[in-house]
Amino acid sequence: MPCERKPMRYGHSEGHTDVCFDDKGKCIVTCGSDGDVRIWESLDDDDPKSINVGEKVYSVALKNGKLVTAVSNNTVQIHTFPEGDPDGILTRFTTNANHVTFNSSGSRVAAGSSDFIVKIVEVVDSSQQKTLRGHDAPVLSVALDTSDEFLASSSCDGSVTVWSIESQTQVAQWKILQKSSDVSNAKSLCRLAWQPHSGKLLAVPVDLTVQLYDRNTWTHVSTLCDDLITQVVNVVVWSPCGKFLAAGTVGGNLLIWDVEAKLCIERQKHEKGFTVCGMAWHPSGGRIAYTDTEGCLGLLEGVSSSSPPSSSTVQSTKATAAKEKNDYDDLFDEDDDRMLDEGMSDSRSPVKKPIMEEDDDDDDLMPATGKPRNRGSFLDDDDNSQDPGSVKLDGVPEEDGSSAILPAVGPAVSRPVYEGPMPTQPQRAFQAGSTPVHLMHRFMVWNSVGIVRGYNDDQDNAIDVEFHDTAIHHAMHLTNTLGHTMADLSQEAVLLACEGTDELASKIQCLHFSCWDTHKDWIVDLPKGEDVCALCLGQGWAAVATSALMVRLFSIGGVQKEIFSLPGAVVCMAGHGEQLLIMYHRGTGFDGDQALGVQLLQLGSKRRQVIHGEPLPLSRKSYLAWMGFTAEGTPCCIDSEGVVRMLNRTVGNTWTPVCNTRDSCKSKSDHYWVVGVHENPQQLRCIPCKGSRFPPTLPRPAVAVLPFNLPYCQTTTEKGQMEEQYWRSMLFHNHYSFLSSSGYEIDSEGQSQAEKEQQELLMKMFALSCKLEREFRCVELAEMMTHSVVTLAIRYASRSRLFKDKEMDVIKQGMGRFRTLSAEERLNWTERAKGDSDPKKRKREDEGQAIMERSKQKQMNQNENEADSAINGKFDGRVKIPGWSAGGAAGTPSTAPSSSVMESWREERTRSLEDNEMSLPSIAAAYTTILRGLGEDPQRQGLLKTPWRAATAMQFFTKGYQEKIIELCLCVTVSREVRVNPFKVSGAGKPSSSSAGQPRTTSVLDSMTMSSRKPTPLGGTSKQGKAPVLKPLAPKPKSKTQATLLQMSASKGNSKKLVDSQTEAEKVKAAPAATPPASVENIENRKPKTGFQLWLEDNRKSILADNPDFEEMDVIKQGMGRFRTLSAEERLNWTERAKGDSDPKKRKREDEGQVNDQMESDEGSAKKKKPLDTSAKLSAFAFNKE
């Protein structure tokens, strides 16, 4: 079916158009966005009749002398034909009608609108209407079947629906289209078409194919496709005979299929590659009229709608013909060279020139990366487009003699078929951060410096330059007299370029607004025939890649510098500082893949090539969508599948995927248009585009921020998350070393913070490996740590192993003892465990526990009475202490322990005050971990000091470790008084519950890695253990202090007894003096505060005034630093002051005064007045509210 493509001619202004023939085929009727309907007697008609029907016309249909149009004023109008007189309004919608069509008889008109409604109107009586509701988005197209029984409609909601006209209900629906928000954002108009006469098949354009559905079963029966189709099919139309189907694509391809044979018999291409948006088949079947989005009208002549005489032969020899046209040997024939010659064409291969010619006017970012084209078009020059009647048979020579003559005798020779990968059409050059050049309003560039917009309409042809930071320069408005289509923007200049024409050469224009002289712009003309393909700006230089496979360098002032050649056609360029990044075609890609190469050059004082043309990794069947640098200067690229890759300089300049924007898209048709990448903070700045790949210029799009996420395995687990965070931190902080080596100043604080974050993550992974007993993995992690962190890791590992061994020993011992119990006892324990969940039983147990508490309180009172008796010398019971020799009659004191036992008690190791100070930060960190485990925020106001208070309380509860048995033996009364809890007196709060067996120093990991608003530096844990800290611990109370504390909690009746007891205790004070001096000194010299603590109390306000954001630990560290700077004499004075606060004589006088006050006051005043001694204040310190 050879045909001839007539030259296009101007019909309407730029925008959507539609076309149809009259009933007899004498006229061509077109409509466009200019609001006119034009009637053409032929394609050569220079004076077509024009009818203005509104502001814009979206669709036109003609039948029986009635011209129906869908107009932008939300109406469907009817005019007489050919007069063009208005004949009224057929129907109205609440928004634009997108498509109108007649039924086969012309008695009805169907119309679909953007208000989701489809209407069927009688032409004779427009009041008779039927409304079909059910779509969830604007309607794209409608089609009535030949029997007027069904109507098919396509919509932006992604569905194709078949309706029963009579019942106004849905009969079938297929979700086969991509969703979009509006017709303007739809990838395809999806013009539906019923097969003429029989109406058996419904043709639906779906992506790169045309799908056929059977009317009887509503099932998919066939798919028509072709390798030439690289962009979505937009419109389909049946031949009058119903045997052939024609289609037009977004990429400008025109194809015709023999539906019965499922064979593409004609392929043509729009001369400029514009989108085909309207098609109509002549009633005689000999011509096809089509229109594009630029308002032009075209015609295919010589199209035959009847079956060729040898169609039966085609079916019988289809397999042989396929093998013949896909001849493997033809890959190496000399005739194949004709495919590269754009001037060669014959009657059976009319598509050679349109396919291979450069599409200069279509600069869309989206290349044709689908199926490349019919393999025969690559493998055989003239057999690809032959009609079915001219299929070669074995042994029959061709007329042109281009193939060898096979022997006439013998069976047909079967030749091998090439089934290998097929070449991919190379991607066109583009500017990163720009939208397609054919748009009237577009972004010429959007980067981290500013935005350059281009306007090219009937009113204005200008360029607007806007800066994100107006301190760089004010906004500029430039008249685009040269027709610039490319731009780049830096903090020094604006670089513009335009392609050349037959009369004018390609030009480069630079506006150097940071220049200090009066001449701020310069223009350079390229040699004739050399056009600018890509450009970029750097620090003090500009680069331009041309169609001659060259890169030209200029200074920012316009001085021409180096020139070098590229191995292939450029795709994109980007500059940052002294770096120049170039992407180019390094070869031919296959099966939809692009073969791109990368060159990275340093243009500073030491010029060198960093990357020497290595391949650029892209996703399968994708193309490069954006390329540039991060704000810190690391090369980055993004492909059409949304995968963001960043150059990893530490692993041999490889590319690491750091994000996938498709994971954040809600719909398949949604995309993100990238405008910038930042490493610190880690942000991907982009614009969400709903239903399209690029945003409109108006209204101004909002920029969204996407996080980075490396595609590591098992990121739902704790181990996978920490691994991803660690390596992402390593990758995104590599720029520090690069900038430092390049001579730039870096943020040392940020670098140290990044290293600290990495070491913390390593320590967390180390702790997790210790818990899992992965010792080899622990060693691997330790190899990546710094020396100081390795020391902490060793301490943590040793302690965790010790605690685990002890815990296992306790469990084993407990299991052994539990087995020795009788069956009845084990059953009782089981019942008790079950009874914990019984509310009534728990209530009874609580009541019993209350009774036991009262009994215990009674016993405590009795013990206090016994203590009073002992003080008065009236207690004659024996104190049972381990190592004390038994003996003595009743009423006489027990004998003293042996000398060897006394000596061993004196050598006993106890917990010192220094140990308390060293372990306090670790215990506080452990309580911070407990709070986080309970779901609390330790940084919340009200909980900032809670871990320190709880740690202080725990040290007080376990202060028995600070005592020696020898002291207990020598001062029994004091040991009894020590058991009294002074916190019972203060009543400020309850201490946090914790195990009494808490280790002296808890997990190093917990004190190091717990996140906070101001985390302490790494290695700080070891320093904290050595440095003195504020230790709000109560000193070991003496007998008179205990009497005072008991005095506060006792009743009025017992108050006098306690005072008497205190007096008696003072009387017998000579008894402890008789004991060895060491024990007395140990008891009397327990200092409540150190000199540093007193100094810190006086200077805390000044430290906080200088550093208001400091937390408790930061204040202590700052205070320690300042305290060390004091002279030795000043530090000694503070120490003497601290000792003076605990002077026994001074405290005795204070206590005597307090006792006198207590005796003179009543019960109420006794409760209100607080004790004045230092011990009571310190004992309540841990529970003071903030």
Side-chain angles (χ1 to χ4, degrees):
M1 184 189 291
C3 66
E4 179 183 1
R5 176 172 56 83
K6 294 289 186 180
M8 303 287 291
R9 67 165 300 161
Y10 175 80
H12 298 272
S13 62
E14 179 184 356
H16 176 76
T17 55
D18 199 5
V19 63
C20 66
F21 283 98
D22 66 341
D23 297 335
K24 297 181 180 179
K26 293 182 179 181
C27 300
I28 304 174
V29 180
T30 61
C31 68
S33 57
D34 52 8
D36 292 337
V37 175
R38 290 189 170 90
I39 303 173
W40 311 72
E41 294 182 359
S42 65
L43 190 63
D44 300 328
D45 189 358
D46 293 332
D47 188 19
K49 183 177 181 178
S50 180
I51 306 171
N52 186 269
V53 297
E55 184 179 354
K56 290 184 179 181
V57 186
Y58 298 109
S59 180
V60 62
L62 177 60
K63 201 80 170 180
N64 298 338
K66 299 293 184 180
L67 183 68
V68 177
T69 55
V71 191
S72 58
N73 59 359
N74 307 344
T75 62
V76 176
Q77 301 179 10
I78 187 168
H79 291 73
T80 60
F81 182 83
E83 295 81 6
D85 299 330
D87 198 13
I89 295 176
L90 207 57
T91 186
R92 293 180 182 273
F93 293 93
T94 58
T95 183
N96 298 332
N98 299 321
H99 190 221
V100 293
T101 184
F102 275 102
N103 62 353
S104 56
S105 62
S107 60
R108 288 179 173 177
V109 172
S113 170
S114 292
D115 59 4
F116 314 167
I117 295 176
V118 177
K119 290 185 178 181
I120 304 172
V121 187
E122 297 291 338
V123 177
V124 179
D125 184 5
S126 61
S127 62
Q128 298 183 14
Q129 299 184 6
K130 293 185 178 180
T131 303
L132 306 178
R133 304 176 185 271
H135 283 298
D136 298 327
V139 179
L140 292 171
S141 69
V142 292
L144 290 161
D145 78 324
T146 55
S147 63
D148 281 355
E149 184 179 354
F150 301 107
L151 178 141
S153 62
S154 61
S155 171
C156 292
D157 61 9
S159 67
V160 175
T161 306
V162 179
W163 310 78
S164 172
I165 299 176
E166 186 65 28
S167 61
Q168 302 181 28
T169 57
Q170 294 183 5
V171 177
Q173 188 179 61
W174 306 287
K175 296 282 187 178
I176 53 179
L177 306 178
Q178 287 193 8
K179 294 182 180 180
S180 60
S181 59
D182 190 34
V183 179
S184 60
N185 296 328
K187 290 193 173 182
S188 169
L189 294 177
C190 194
R191 293 288 194 248
L192 309 176
W194 291 92
Q195 188 177 24
H197 305 307
S198 64
K200 178 181 179 182
L201 298 176
L202 173 64
V204 182
V206 180
D207 291 335
L208 306 182
T209 65
V210 178
Q211 296 186 8
L212 302 179
Y213 290 85
D214 185 78
R215 178 176 177 242
N216 297 324
T217 60
W218 305 121
T219 57
H220 175 256
V221 295
S222 181
T223 299
L224 303 178
C225 60
D226 189 78
D227 291 337
L228 180 65
I229 302 177
T230 57
Q231 297 193 37
V232 295
V233 180
N234 209 29
V235 59
V236 294
V237 59
W238 286 90
S239 66
C241 65
K243 295 182 179 180
F244 301 97
L245 184 70
T249 70
V250 173
N253 296 318
L254 300 166
L255 304 100
I256 302 176
W257 285 277
D258 184 335
V259 177
E260 186 177 356
K262 301 180 184 178
L263 183 66
C264 186
I265 58 179
E266 188 63 57
R267 301 175 183 86
Q268 292 285 350
K269 186 173 177 63
H270 191 288
E271 62 184 27
K272 292 187 178 181
F274 294 149
T275 299
V276 177
C277 57
M279 289 186 73
W281 209 308
H282 194 275
S284 65
R287 293 186 294 175
I288 296 178
Y290 61 95
T291 57
D292 59 27
T293 54
E294 295 297 317
C296 296
L297 171 66
L299 199 64
L300 293 180
E301 290 279 7
V303 180
S304 176
S305 63
S306 59
S307 297
S310 58
S311 61
S312 59
T313 308
V314 171
Q315 297 182 14
S316 63
T317 61
K318 184 167 61 175
T320 306
K323 293 180 180 179
E324 191 72 22
K325 72 175 183 176
N326 291 315
D327 194 342
Y328 179 85
D329 294 336
D330 287 346
L331 280 172
F332 310 99
D333 286 346
E334 293 181 358
D335 293 341
D336 245 6
D337 295 338
R338 292 188 300 163
M339 182 180 68
L340 302 177
D341 187 1
E342 297 182 358
M344 293 296 294
S345 176
D346 56 42
S347 60
R348 290 178 294 175
S349 183
V351 299
K352 293 299 177 287
K353 183 174 180 178
I355 291 177
M356 301 306 297
E357 69 180 2
E358 189 72 11
D359 188 3
D360 295 333
D361 294 327
D362 185 6
D363 199 21
D364 195 295
L365 282 176
M366 186 189 306
T369 57
K371 296 181 179 179
R373 52 181 287 187
N374 190 290
R375 295 179 177 181
S377 63
F378 286 95
L379 306 180
D380 196 302
D381 184 49
D382 54 1
D383 290 341
N384 183 44
S385 301
Q386 59 189 351
D387 61 279
S390 60
V391 176
K392 295 184 292 183
L393 299 179
D394 293 331
V396 180
E398 290 187 339
E399 295 178 1
D400 58 2
S402 61
S403 63
I405 300 177
L406 300 178
V409 181
V413 178
S414 176
R415 306 178 69 180
V417 178
Y418 178 70
E419 294 294 342
M422 301 306 299
T424 302
Q425 182 176 343
Q427 178 180 355
R428 293 176 56 85
F430 70 95
Q431 282 294 117
S434 66
T435 52
V437 71
H438 66 266
L439 300 176
M440 291 187 295
H441 294 182
R442 58 183 289 259
F443 292 109
M444 300 181 71
V445 67
W446 185 326
N447 57 21
S448 58
V449 178
I451 306 171
V452 180
R453 296 182 180 88
Y455 303 94
N456 184 14
D457 50 25
D458 298 337
Q459 299 177 355
D460 193 11
N461 187 3
I463 297 174
D464 286 342
V465 182
E466 175 187 346
F467 294 87
H468 299 317
D469 185 3
T470 55
I472 298 176
H473 198 272
H474 59 79
M476 295 184 289
H477 180 80
L478 310 174
T479 302
N480 192 10
T481 56
L482 297 177
H484 293 302
T485 58
M486 289 168 277
D488 196 14
L489 180 64
S490 71
Q491 295 186 356
E492 297 176 318
V494 180
L495 187 62
L496 304 170
C498 61
E499 295 181 351
T501 61
D502 295 337
E503 296 81 13
L504 300 176
S506 181
K507 296 179 182 296
I508 306 168
Q509 182 178 1
C510 180
L511 278 72
H512 187 198
F513 52 78
S514 64
C515 179
W516 47 266
D517 63 8
T518 57
H519 301 283
K520 297 184 179 297
D521 62 333
W522 51 269
I523 298 178
V524 172
D525 292 348
L526 293 184
K528 188 69 174 180
E530 185 177 351
D531 292 333
V532 178
C533 296
L535 52 82
C536 66
L537 284 169
Q539 185 176 355
W541 55 267
V544 175
T546 68
S547 58
L549 303 184
M550 289 193 303
V551 175
R552 298 178 178 269
L553 298 180
F554 300 85
S555 70
I556 199 67
V559 179
Q560 298 188 58
K561 304 180 78 172
E562 292 87 351
I563 300 176
F564 58 90
S565 296
L566 290 176
V570 69
V571 176
C572 189
M573 287 202 316
H576 183 278
E578 298 176 348
Q579 300 180 85
L580 173 60
L581 184 64
I582 306 173
M583 301 289 182
Y584 62 91
H585 289 287
R586 60 187 300 268
T588 302
F590 290 89
D591 285 346
D593 296 333
Q594 297 288 329
L596 303 182
V598 186
Q599 285 190 5
L600 179 61
L601 294 90
Q602 286 281 357
L603 302 180
S605 57
K606 297 181 180 180
R607 303 200 171 192
R608 62 190 181 93
Q609 191 173 15
V610 181
I611 301 180
H612 307 268
E614 280 80 1
L616 176 68
L618 296 174
S619 303
R620 289 283 297 152
K621 298 185 183 300
S622 68
Y623 57 90
L624 184 64
W626 185 88
M627 184 200 74
F629 290 87
T630 65
E632 291 74 15
T634 303
C636 185
C637 69
I638 303 172
D639 58 32
S640 58
E641 294 298 320
V643 179
V644 183
R645 292 178 176 85
M646 186 178 295
L647 186 69
N648 191 347
R649 302 180 191 271
T650 60
V651 193
N653 290 328
T654 55
W655 296 86
T656 302
V658 296
C659 179
N660 191 342
T661 60
R662 298 296 302 168
D663 295 339
S664 302
C665 294
K666 297 181 180 179
S667 174
K668 184 179 180 181
S669 59
D670 295 344
H671 298 85
Y672 281 95
W673 195 66
V674 178
V675 297
V677 183
H678 295 261
E679 296 181 71
N680 189 19
Q682 299 177 13
Q683 291 181 350
L684 177 64
R685 301 177 64 82
C686 50
I687 297 173
C689 304
K690 190 172 182 61
S692 65
R693 286 188 175 270
F694 49 84
T697 56
L698 293 175
R700 183 189 178 103
V703 178
V705 176
L706 296 182
F708 292 100
N709 188 16
L710 274 62
Y712 275 80
C713 303
Q714 297 178 337
T715 53
T716 56
T717 63
E718 185 179 5
K719 172 179 174 290
Q721 291 175 359
M722 288 189 291
E723 290 171 343
E724 190 274 336
Q725 293 174 10
Y726 173 76
W727 290 111
R728 173 156 48 86
S729 177
M730 290 290 292
L731 176 64
F732 278 82
H733 294 98
N734 285 338
H735 65 274
Y736 285 117
S737 58
F738 168 74
L739 295 176
S740 177
S741 62
S742 301
Y744 291 95
E745 294 183 1
I746 61 174
D747 182 10
S748 57
E749 183 179 355
Q751 185 178 13
S752 61
Q753 182 67 23
E755 293 175 355
K756 174 189 172 185
E757 175 187 349
Q758 295 161 11
Q759 296 300 315
E760 287 180 353
L761 290 169
L762 285 175
M763 197 64 194
K764 287 182 180 180
M765 289 188 283
F766 184 88
L768 181 61
S769 300
C770 288
K771 293 179 182 179
L772 300 177
E773 298 183 357
R774 298 278 187 175
E775 297 180 358
F776 189 84
R777 186 182 296 170
C778 291
V779 175
E780 292 177 331
L781 293 170
E783 291 175 352
M784 296 186 287
M785 297 178 181
T786 60
H787 178 72
S788 59
V789 181
V790 169
T791 304
L792 299 178
I794 294 173
R795 293 172 59 188
Y796 179 84
S798 61
R799 293 180 181 180
S800 63
R801 172 60 63 88
L802 177 64
F803 296 155
K804 186 175 296 184
D805 292 343
K806 288 184 178 180
E807 184 179 359
M808 290 302 300
D809 293 340
V810 171
I811 293 175
K812 291 179 181 179
Q813 184 72 15
M815 292 175 62
R817 293 187 180 184
F818 189 75
R819 292 192 185 99
T820 60
L821 299 178
S822 63
E824 183 178 359
E825 288 177 324
R826 290 198 296 269
L827 183 61
N828 290 337
W829 282 107
T830 305
E831 293 296 332
R832 287 183 62 182
K834 293 180 179 179
D836 288 343
S837 59
D838 186 3
K840 296 182 179 180
K841 187 173 182 179
R842 288 171 60 188
K843 182 178 180 180
R844 292 194 299 269
E845 290 179 352
D846 294 340
E847 293 175 353
Q849 186 176 3
I851 295 174
M852 293 181 65
E853 289 292 337
R854 290 194 294 270
S855 175
K856 186 181 296 185
Q857 184 65 31
K858 184 177 181 181
Q859 183 65 29
M860 288 177 61
N861 295 335
Q862 184 178 354
N863 292 339
E864 293 173 1
N865 295 333
E866 292 177 0
D868 296 337
S869 301
I871 294 174
N872 295 327
K874 300 178 181 180
F875 179 68
D876 55 1
R878 298 180 182 180
V879 180
K880 298 179 181 180
I881 301 176
W884 201 283
S885 59
T892 61
S894 302
T895 60
S898 62
S899 61
S900 61
V901 174
M902 291 285 292
E903 189 66 25
S904 63
W905 289 350
R906 286 191 178 92
E907 296 177 356
E908 182 184 3
R909 174 72 172 90
T910 61
R911 189 177 72 191
S912 64
L913 295 177
E914 183 180 359
D915 293 336
N916 287 343
E917 294 179 354
M918 293 178 61
S919 62
L920 188 63
S922 300
I923 300 175
Y927 275 105
T928 303
T929 305
I930 293 174
L931 290 175
R932 284 201 178 93
L934 296 175
E936 284 285 355
D937 181 12
Q939 301 300 323
R940 179 173 61 82
Q941 193 69 20
L943 290 180
L944 292 174
K945 297 182 181 179
T946 299
W948 290 94
R949 293 171 179 167
T952 304
M954 179 54 63
Q955 286 189 341
F956 175 81
F957 293 148
T958 60
K959 68 178 180 179
Y961 293 108
Q962 299 175 210
E963 300 171 348
K964 293 184 179 180
I965 299 178
I966 185 65
E967 298 173 3
L968 297 176
C969 297
L970 298 175
C971 191
V972 177
T973 305
V974 173
S975 67
R976 283 183 174 270
E977 294 173 353
V978 166
R979 296 190 187 98
V980 180
N981 186 359
F983 291 99
K984 180 179 178 182
V985 178
S986 62
K990 294 184 179 181
S992 302
S993 61
S994 178
S995 173
Q998 179 75 15
R1000 183 170 58 89
T1001 304
T1002 57
S1003 169
V1004 178
L1005 173 70
D1006 295 336
S1007 65
M1008 185 189 97
T1009 63
M1010 290 296 103
S1011 61
S1012 63
R1013 292 176 186 172
K1014 292 184 68 64
T1016 58
L1018 280 178
T1021 306
S1022 59
K1023 295 181 181 179
Q1024 291 174 1
K1026 297 179 182 179
V1029 297
L1030 180 61
K1031 185 182 72 60
L1033 285 177
K1036 186 174 181 179
K1038 304 180 189 63
S1039 59
K1040 60 182 182 180
T1041 304
Q1042 287 298 330
T1044 304
L1045 294 174
L1046 292 172
Q1047 183 180 17
M1048 294 178 62
S1049 60
S1051 62
K1052 183 176 181 180
N1054 294 333
S1055 177
K1056 186 175 181 179
K1057 182 195 293 184
L1058 291 175
V1059 173
D1060 295 339
S1061 300
Q1062 182 178 6
T1063 306
E1064 294 298 331
E1066 294 173 357
K1067 291 180 180 179
V1068 297
K1069 187 166 180 158
T1075 59
S1079 62
V1080 175
E1081 183 179 356
N1082 183 278
I1083 297 173
E1084 295 294 336
N1085 294 338
R1086 296 292 177 90
K1087 296 184 288 294
K1089 290 183 181 178
T1090 64
F1092 167 72
Q1093 291 173 339
L1094 290 177
W1095 179 90
L1096 183 61
E1097 288 182 356
D1098 293 344
N1099 294 271
R1100 179 184 296 273
K1101 292 183 178 180
S1102 63
I1103 295 175
L1104 291 176
D1106 297 338
N1107 305 279
D1109 296 334
F1110 270 13
E1111 297 178 0
E1112 183 64 20
M1113 285 302 300
D1114 298 324
V1115 172
I1116 294 174
K1117 290 180 181 178
Q1118 184 71 12
M1120 289 168 60
R1122 295 187 181 183
F1123 189 74
R1124 290 193 186 99
T1125 60
L1126 299 177
S1127 63
E1129 184 178 357
E1130 290 176 324
R1131 290 199 299 269
L1132 183 61
N1133 291 336
W1134 281 106
T1135 304
E1136 293 297 331
R1137 288 182 58 184
K1139 290 181 179 179
D1141 289 345
S1142 58
D1143 186 7
K1145 296 181 180 180
K1146 183 178 180 180
R1147 292 173 58 192
K1148 178 179 179 182
R1149 290 193 298 270
E1150 291 176 354
D1151 294 341
E1152 289 175 354
Q1154 182 180 1
V1155 170
N1156 294 332
D1157 293 338
Q1158 291 286 348
M1159 294 175 62
E1160 294 173 1
S1161 62
D1162 56 3
E1163 181 180 3
S1165 62
K1167 291 184 179 179
K1168 293 180 181 179
K1169 185 169 296 185
K1170 295 183 179 179
L1172 299 177
D1173 61 282
T1174 308
S1175 302
K1177 292 182 180 179
L1178 290 177
S1179 64
F1181 173 80
F1183 298 101
N1184 285 339
K1185 295 184 178 179
E1186 298 177 3

